Amino acid sequence: MEVREIRKKFLEYFAAKGHEKVASSPVIPFEDPSLLFVNAGMNQFKDVFLGKNELEYNRAVTSQKCIRVGGKHNDLDNVGMTKRHLTFFEMLGNFSFGDYFKSDAIDFAWDFTLNHLNLDVEKLWVTIFEDDDESFELWKKHIREDRIVRLGEEDNFWTMGETGPCGPCTELHYDRGEAYGSGRSPLEDPSGERYFEFWNLVFMQFNRDASRNMEPLAKQSVDTGMGLERMAMIKQGVDSVFETDMLRGLIGEVERISGKQYDLNDKELAPAFRVIADHTRMLCFSIADGALPGNIERGYVLRKVLRRLVRFGRMLGLNRPFIGELVPKVMDEMGDDYPELKKAQVRMTEIFQVEEENFQRTLARGGAILEKVIDRAKGSDLHQISGKDAFTLKDTYGLPYEEICLMARDHGLSVNLESYQLLEEEARERSRSAQDQVMQVAESSMYEEFIEKHGKTAFHGYSELTVPATILGFYINGLFTDQMNEGEEGAVILDQTTFYAESGGQIGDSGFISHHSAHVAVTAAKSPYPGLIFHFGTLKNGTLLAGEPVFTQVDEERRLAISHAHTATHLLHWALNEVLGEDANQAGSLVTPSKLRFDFRFHRALTNDELRQVERLVNQKIMENDQVAIREMSYTDVKSRKDVKQMFGEKYGSTVRMVTVGEYSKELCGGTHVKSLGEIHMLRIVKETSVAAGTRRIEAVTDLLAFDWMFTQEDKIQEVADTLKVDRAKVIDKIVSLQDEVKTQKEAMRAMRKAHLRTVRSELMGQVEEIGGVQALIQVVDVLKDEFTLLANELADQMGEKSAICLVMKGEDRVSLLIKLSGDLVKKGMNAGKMVAELAAEIGGKGGGRPDMAQAGGPKVGGIESLMNKQRELLSSESVANQ
């Protein structure tokens, strides 16, 4: 049974059992800062399990794309070396949100396993939590009691965190036979090689508080997970996930492009095939879902994975950029089931090409750095590459530790493994801390208690800017209270309001709330919890009490400016898709009365022509004055529509607002908008920049601010024209003319400097002295900083063998020193690096370098003469020692 068939059977089975078939969420959890990557099927339903969100359905089935490369689930170093570890895998899961519980979950699992996967009942085992008698009794209906094994909390009890939802698990295992171990049950098979776990059923039964007391949850739920690749191993009767049809197909493509055959018993090369197949798949899905290689957080992880892939490719002789050649095979294997892959195929191929070329340059540079590290280690007392140097070469330059060790041995050096491992562990700890999950607590929060007692805040701000309201309470210094006194800062909570709370990138409203003489100047409106709107401000005079009636007024001019900017972001999004393609998806936004900011995913800077096209399209639509329509609808009706834009990772409720402009722009959005595009008047793009790897940012202004920006640009041009004393129309001609003059002057200056260097070099050749059979040049020179090394190299070429050059450059408060030795002197044991280290003390500084050339610097200008005398002594003693 192939992977696709297993996935299809699972989804169709549970759909027939009343489960909503839910598409996999992206592997990038954009709205969950506790995760770098989605690593389990339940991630997209976390807020549902915690009671923070409700869905229109209470049972679901998914095939979730998962990535595990860091933190708790750090499988990266194992991938390719074992038979089961993957960075990317699919997790099949069925879920119950307060609907069915243990009985149905167990019945479903058994029915599907026996009657749809057709597994041999004689090879099935079940494990349960040691105290879960209920599950034991339920399983007895299906399987012999001696096949039900009780395990402890570590194996069969699930928790979301130290506190919060938790409960027992039950797992299904498949006995692969004595070839995989002699244990007589899962209890005697700690490695899990023989009794192969393939399905985990988690029963969210309790809520555990900080005192570790457990109370039954009001809504008991079910979360199950079956590894698709694991089940494929069982159904296809193979020994490794890499022998299953989908991954073996990718390995076959690696064979084709490398010209080498895959032998699963080849311990040296087989891991390379497996790594390339797995990592390519993981990278394709990550990029398709909006992530890009970079230098921080998940971008750093992706770049690390990509470079690991490239290094293993080099083991197969793939020294050219090659990942893009594997992309079509990924499309063939998975593109039909995951259309986002095909949609991003061109972009990911471009990204792979750029990343691989950059890494090739990095490897070349790393090789040069490694030479310096080896020179430094040879000069050390221990003849050892430090752990810090080894870690830098691996972490920064991507050189494998094994390669560093091999090159070290070639030069008679060792590597400080203890120090290296310490730095590796610190790096892993940073990775883990970046993913530390925020503690989840399912017990009623203070916000929920407030709502239960006082009710929610009704929002009327889409159609009104003022409304009479009643004070429900206040939030001051972290506590709810019934009174606010003059001069106090805090938040006012009302039964209804017209103030839009900051959300979806749109800044919150400002305005005022008043009751007789009491007046709160509202500076911000925010929603800390669904159903509550906090009006932040300071009470100017008087006292306000809960239960009092008040009058609210939103700043109308400010609200209009914000609405204009927000609708403009929708137009920008549409125009970017028109010019750059549909891959230019929104990554964030900020809408304020003074400007708008729109972040989108794209792998390069926009050209001026592209920016002009985008701007022209937006303003064309503004001039056409299309109408903006807004309507509420069921999320179930809209979630699968391809013509409606939705933010990756956004958690939508059961009812959503769709903002439609003409027939070309449809987005789910809770913000405020204009009624017709003409109200925006104009949009001008002020700036386009990079904010992160693969994420670009456009800043723009609308309305009169757009005109003001244009006037400012015109004023700047006029100022330049006035400075150059030409008409505005001739500014460019004048600048080009001045550039030509500067170029001519620079060329004349370079000619003068070359002539000066020739003179200096000629004069210096007359100052050569012989010290112990060595032609020595020890002099102070008057040259520019960038001429210092050039002069030394030219002098060395002219002086030839048995030459030692010591040049000193004197500044106002700084001395620079350079020593260069001919190759024959280095072979005899002279070392410029050691000489510089000793001489630097004379000028109060430090230095270092290679055996043939080294430099130093220091502030002690008065030490020049003693330095030069010291160099003569060193050369004399070195010459005697080497005779």
Side-chain angles (χ1 to χ4, degrees), residues 224-342:
T224 86
M226 176 195 290
L228 177 57
E229 290 82 2
R230 278 177 164 248
M231 179 48 64
M233 279 179 65
I234 294 173
K235 289 300 297 176
Q236 295 173 23
V238 295
D239 190 42
S240 162
V241 290
F242 295 100
E243 301 305 309
T244 58
D245 61 291
M246 195 165 286
L247 282 164
R248 188 60 183 85
L250 278 171
I251 287 174
E253 192 66 6
V254 178
E255 288 180 304
R256 187 187 69 78
I257 68 170
S258 68
K260 289 184 168 55
Q261 293 298 308
Y262 172 61
D263 178 358
L264 60 89
N265 297 313
D266 185 338
K267 293 183 179 180
E268 182 179 352
L269 293 183
F273 286 94
R274 297 193 284 259
V275 165
I276 294 169
D278 169 81
H279 287 11
T280 298
R281 198 167 66 146
M282 176 268 193
L283 290 165
C284 285
F285 274 96
S286 299
I287 292 171
D289 280 350
L292 286 172
N295 294 322
I296 59 172
E297 297 178 341
R298 69 172 59 91
Y300 170 78
V301 174
L302 290 183
R303 182 163 284 164
K304 185 176 180 181
V305 169
L306 188 148
R307 292 184 170 188
R308 186 173 190 254
L309 188 166
V310 171
R311 291 199 305 272
F312 276 95
R314 289 162 71 91
M315 293 175 63
L316 301 180
L318 293 168
N319 296 315
R320 66 181 189 278
F322 68 90
I323 306 176
E325 298 177 50
L326 298 172
V327 171
K329 186 63 177 178
V330 177
M331 301 301 121
D332 291 344
E333 296 284 0
M334 309 192 76
D336 291 338
D337 297 306
Y338 295 101
E340 62 271 24
L341 287 172
K342 290 185 175 179

Side-chain angles (χ1 to χ4, degrees), residues 423-619:
L423 291 167
E424 276 272 274
E425 182 55 36
E426 288 176 0
R428 289 194 190 97
E429 185 59 37
R430 286 194 295 272
S431 175
R432 282 192 288 268
S433 65
Q435 299 192 79
D436 280 345
Q437 293 196 0
V438 178
M439 184 171 67
Q440 306 290 342
V441 181
E443 60 192 7
S444 297
S445 68
M446 58 181 180
Y447 298 124
E448 291 172 325
E449 291 173 359
F450 184 90
I451 290 174
E452 186 176 343
K453 183 177 180 181
H454 301 285
K456 296 181 178 181
T457 303
F459 177 64
H460 302 288
Y462 291 131
S463 56
E464 306 290 338
L465 293 179
T466 180
V467 69
T470 301
I471 297 175
L472 298 179
F474 307 91
Y475 188 75
I476 302 172
N477 295 325
L479 297 172
F480 286 106
T481 179
D482 292 331
Q483 180 173 320
M484 189 177 199
N485 299 313
E486 183 174 340
E488 277 191 311
E489 294 183 15
V492 183
I493 309 165
L494 307 173
D495 65 335
Q496 57 182 357
T497 185
T498 54
F499 283 79
Y500 180 85
E502 181 178 320
S503 177
Q506 178 173 326
I507 195 169
D509 283 329
S510 63
F512 67 84
I513 298 172
S514 61
H515 172 72
H516 300 311
S517 62
H519 181 94
V520 176
V522 179
T523 56
K526 298 185 179 183
S527 178
Y529 193 82
L532 286 181
I533 294 179
F534 283 14
H535 305 77
F536 289 94
T538 302
L539 181 57
K540 296 300 183 183
N541 52 275
T543 299
L544 287 175
L545 301 173
E548 287 184 334
V550 292
F551 177 78
T552 70
Q553 176 64 57
V554 172
D555 183 330
E556 182 174 4
E557 184 177 343
R558 185 174 180 274
R559 162 70 82 80
L560 287 174
I562 293 170
S563 299
H564 295 178
H566 199 150
T567 305
T569 64
H570 287 220
L571 286 177
L572 258 182
H573 196 177
W574 164 77
L576 284 165
N577 285 170
E578 290 292 302
V579 175
L580 304 178
E582 293 187 5
D583 288 339
N585 288 313
Q586 182 174 352
S589 64
L590 176 65
V591 181
T592 73
S594 59
K595 69 175 181 179
L596 66 90
R597 194 175 74 198
F598 187 82
D599 295 347
F600 59 99
R601 294 184 181 87
F602 202 63
H603 58 283
R604 61 168 173 82
L606 274 65
T607 64
N608 287 333
D609 183 57
E610 288 170 335
L611 287 171
R612 287 290 172 263
Q613 288 183 58
V614 169
E615 201 171 52
R616 178 181 287 276
L617 283 171
V618 170
N619 285 300

Side-chain angles (χ1 to χ4, degrees), residues 81 185 239 285 295 329 336 355 469 622 655 687 710 829 862:
M81 309 303 166
S185 79
D239 190 42
F285 274 96
N295 294 322
K329 186 63 177 178
D336 291 338
E355 285 289 323
I622 291 172
T655 302
K687 187 190 299 183
M710 288 171 58

